[in-house]
Each structure stands twice: as structure tokens, then as C-alpha cells.
Amino acid sequence: MKCLVLLILSFIAQQTFAQDINYVKTYHPLINKAEILVIDGKYKDALDQYQKAFSLAKGYMKDYFNAAVCATYIGDATNTYKYLIEVAAKGISLDFIKNETAFMGIQQDPNWRNFEKEYLVKKREFEQKIDKSLKEKLAKIVDRDQWFRVRDAVAFADTIVKIDKQNATELDYLIARYGFPNEDVIGSGESGIPVIQYPFYTIIRRQTIDKQTINFSNHLMNAVRDGKVSPHTATHIMATINGNDEFFARHVFKILTDESLAMQGKSFASKLNKWVFRQIEKVDEQRINELRLQNGMETLADYRKKILFSMNDNRFLFPYGSYVGMWSVNDPNIAADYLEGTVILE
């Protein structure tokens, strides 16, 4: 009986410790270091940083995947298999893994077949414990969001306003009841393929200042702290709903145009159809960097590196390319306003 009591107390202590983990302070800074090391091709050092992060908190699927890639490139099959099993425990399909460039070579390893069996078992275990009821509720909200929009958004404008209010209220209730939906509860992919932006994020993005029923900022920041959403995703969404990109989540963008001839000779012409970022005063960049670092992100200079890397290298799961903006502009004056004070990202 005494041993049972001690065991229960130990479990409670572990659960309390797990709940007290602040990902902003413990996890994300290490992941940011790891990702910069990946960009620099220092895979052994990157793997060390990933392992430190995983020792402090449960990892994100993308980070387990990237750690496995690093392990593969340094010939560490043990850790490749170890972290890919963690990927399986997030619901990602074996077919996705087998088709990834980084894991082509290791499939010749004699231990690969046994690994495949273990992977499939772990994925099935996850599928059995996933919260299907919550997934269905979220899917229902997303379907309702789209139903009138895809038919005639103008004709059904008044109805859509009512639906957006209803959806926001329901999502707020679901978060209060179940916690912020995350990959450990609803999975990290659709049909086994990784998802960068969950469809229900759209419901939150609808809540802009001019038509806001619920401001989800507190939900998002709490979810960042608890390891349920990345700080980059949270701040990108908050830039939309608050109308203020104080974290510079939309730092990199591209102005697209099919009127290049009309814009030839303009001072900004060389920046059209290219990724650019806006230069800011050194003191302002320092202030923004401090704010970003305090909230689990990297400096703007490192953020630009990650964005460029994610758009040019598909061996790793770097989501940063999804945070860039693209706008089609054919008016030279508007293009000039957008591109004033910008620098081409290289």
C-alpha cells in the first residue's frame, strides 16, 4: 500500500512538472539554435540541441523529424530510428517517411524492416487515442465557414457574418473545454501528410478588429507557452486579428506583377517578383528582436535565414516559408509604396 501511495504521488508530481513547462523559455530557444545549425550544415551540433530540447519537454513533430534527418546525415541510425518513431506517434504515415530524400539511403539498412513494423504499430496506437470527437467538431466548424463562401460570398454576406460569430463562439468554447487543439490531440497531418496550418486557424483569422466577436490572442499565447502551437504561427495569426504585426511575423514578402513593362525604369523595378524585407532602424530592430526572443522566437536576421532556407531546401520540415506574404500589384504607385525601403532577400 505504501509503495502504491508513493507511486501515485510520483505520478502526480510528474504531471504537475509537465504542466509547469514553459516552452517559450525552455524549448523554443534550443530549437531555434538547432535550426540555425541545420542551415549552416552542422548536423551533429544541431542534433545535440534537439536532444537538449527533447530532454526538457515533449517535442513537436517537425522537430523530431528534423532531428532524425540530422542523425541520418551523421550516420547515427540509432537516433534516426528513435526520432522517426516519435514522428509515428504524431500520426505521420510511413509512406511519407519512405519518400523523403533524407531517408532513402537508410532503407537499405538490415534493421529497416523491423523499424517499419514498429513504426506502423506506433502510428496505430496514436490513431486509437486521437480525439475523434474534437476533430469532428472542428471539421464541422470549418465546413460551415466555407459553405456559403464557396457558393456566393457577396450574396450571402449577412449570413456569413452570423456564421463567423457562431464559429468563433463555438471554437472559444471548445478551447475552454478541451484546451487548444494540437498535434498530440488531433494529429499533425491529414492522411498521414504533415500539416503546417490547421484548417481551424482560419476561424481565428476571421476575427479581425473590424468584425471581432472573440479575440483569440490570449488563447494563442497560452498555447505557445504550453507547447500547443509554435510562437511563429501564433504571432502570424495575431498580426491578422489585431491589425498590428508587432513581432514582424510578416517580415518577408513578394510583390507580384504582370505589368513589368509598365514598371520598367522605376526605382523599385529590380525588386518586383522577388522576396524582399523592409529595412528598419537599428534601434527598432533591436527592440523587435528583444520582443521576439522573449516570446520564443529568433532575431529577425535568423528569421530571414530560416525563411530563405525553407524555400530552397525541402529535406527538412521548416514551416517558415508559409509565413511570407505575396500580393499581386499592377499599379506602379502602389508597388512603389510596398517596396520603398526594402531589400532583396539573398
Side-chain angles (χ1 to χ4, degrees):
M1 183 66 180
K2 183 178 179 182
C3 290
L4 179 59
V5 172
L6 289 173
L7 189 61
I8 293 172
L9 290 174
S10 174
F11 175 77
I12 293 173
Q14 289 176 8
Q15 292 297 102
T16 302
F17 175 74
Q19 293 170 358
D20 287 342
I21 294 173
N22 186 333
Y23 276 67
V24 170
K25 295 181 178 179
T26 61
Y27 183 83
H28 293 301
L30 291 168
I31 296 301
N32 288 328
K33 290 179 182 177
E35 291 179 342
I36 292 301
L37 289 165
V38 164
I39 293 171
D40 293 338
K42 299 177 180 178
Y43 303 127
K44 174 63 172 65
D45 294 337
L47 182 59
D48 289 343
Q49 294 299 315
Y50 280 122
Q51 290 176 316
K52 287 179 183 178
F54 302 150
S55 71
L56 296 173
K58 188 171 186 178
Y60 284 63
M61 183 280 294
K62 73 174 180 65
D63 301 327
Y64 285 130
F65 179 94
N66 291 335
V69 175
C70 289
T72 301
Y73 287 150
I74 63 174
D76 184 353
T78 298
N79 275 319
T80 298
Y81 292 138
K82 175 182 177 180
Y83 293 125
L84 284 180
I85 292 300
E86 296 290 352
V87 173
K90 302 280 190 174
I92 300 302
S93 73
L94 179 60
D95 286 340
F96 175 80
I97 298 301
K98 292 170 69 174
N99 288 328
E100 288 298 291
T101 302
F103 306 121
M104 293 292 185
I106 199 173
Q107 293 178 45
Q108 309 306 315
D109 187 286
N111 295 315
W112 179 263
R113 295 305 167 208
N114 290 332
F115 158 75
E116 284 188 337
K117 295 175 183 177
E118 186 180 357
Y119 191 101
L120 293 172
V121 168
K122 186 64 68 174
K123 184 175 183 294
R124 280 194 295 270
E125 288 177 357
F126 175 78
E127 290 169 346
Q128 291 171 359
K129 70 178 183 180
I130 199 171
D131 194 329
K132 294 181 176 63
S133 174
L134 178 57
K135 283 197 72 172
E136 289 171 0
K137 289 179 172 68
L138 292 171
K140 181 180 177 181
I141 293 174
V142 172
D143 288 344
R144 189 164 57 216
D145 171 82
Q146 291 295 306
W147 204 91
F148 285 102
R149 282 185 164 91
V150 298
R151 282 158 177 79
D152 193 331
V154 175
F156 295 112
D158 292 341
T159 302
I160 289 170
V161 169
K162 294 177 182 178
I163 287 174
D164 287 347
K165 290 181 179 180
Q166 179 185 358
N167 284 346
T169 302
E170 287 192 24
L171 182 57
D172 183 53
Y173 167 77
L174 290 177
I175 293 174
R177 181 177 178 183
Y178 297 97
F180 197 90
N182 67 95
E183 61 186 38
D184 291 320
V185 177
I186 62 174
S188 55
E190 289 297 324
S191 302
I193 306 300
V195 168
I196 295 175
Q197 304 277 344
Y198 288 105
F200 79 87
Y201 290 170
T202 299
I203 308 304
I204 302 177
R205 293 183 193 276
R206 303 281 189 214
Q207 296 300 299
T208 53
I209 289 178
D210 59 327
K211 51 182 180 179
Q212 198 166 85
T213 303
I214 305 288
N215 188 310
F216 286 88
S217 294
N218 286 338
H219 283 314
L220 287 164
M221 295 312 292
N222 288 336
V224 170
R225 181 198 62 209
D226 296 338
K228 295 181 178 181
V229 65
S230 78
H232 300 84
T233 295
T235 55
H236 195 268
I237 295 174
M238 286 167 60
T240 298
I241 63 178
N242 294 325
N244 181 2
D245 190 11
E246 60 180 338
F247 293 95
F248 272 48
R250 299 168 171 175
H251 187 45
V252 174
F253 61 93
K254 180 186 290 187
I255 299 301
L256 302 169
T257 184
D258 52 14
E259 295 291 339
S260 298
L261 288 176
M263 299 191 192
Q264 279 185 0
K266 304 290 184 181
S267 60
F268 57 82
S270 63
K271 300 175 186 177
L272 291 167
N273 301 313
K274 294 182 180 178
W275 296 111
V276 299
F277 64 93
R278 195 172 307 284
Q279 276 193 320
I280 55 179
E281 295 291 334
K282 187 174 181 180
V283 64
D284 290 331
E285 182 158 349
Q286 183 177 350
R287 174 183 55 80
I288 294 162
N289 284 340
E290 289 174 357
L291 182 64
R292 289 174 63 87
L293 291 170
Q294 290 168 9
N295 286 275
M297 290 173 283
E298 62 293 280
T299 65
L300 286 176
D302 283 346
Y303 186 41
R304 293 193 292 268
K305 285 183 182 179
K306 290 184 181 184
I307 289 173
L308 193 60
F309 181 83
S310 68
M311 291 188 292
N312 293 318
D313 193 316
N314 62 5
R315 297 172 301 161
F316 294 85
L317 289 182
F318 271 40
Y320 305 103
S322 67
Y323 304 130
V324 299
M326 287 190 289
W327 297 281
S328 180
V329 177
N330 289 326
D331 184 318
N333 293 324
I334 297 176
D337 288 340
Y338 269 113
L339 294 169
E340 183 180 2
T342 60
V343 177
I344 295 173
L345 180 63
E346 295 178 318

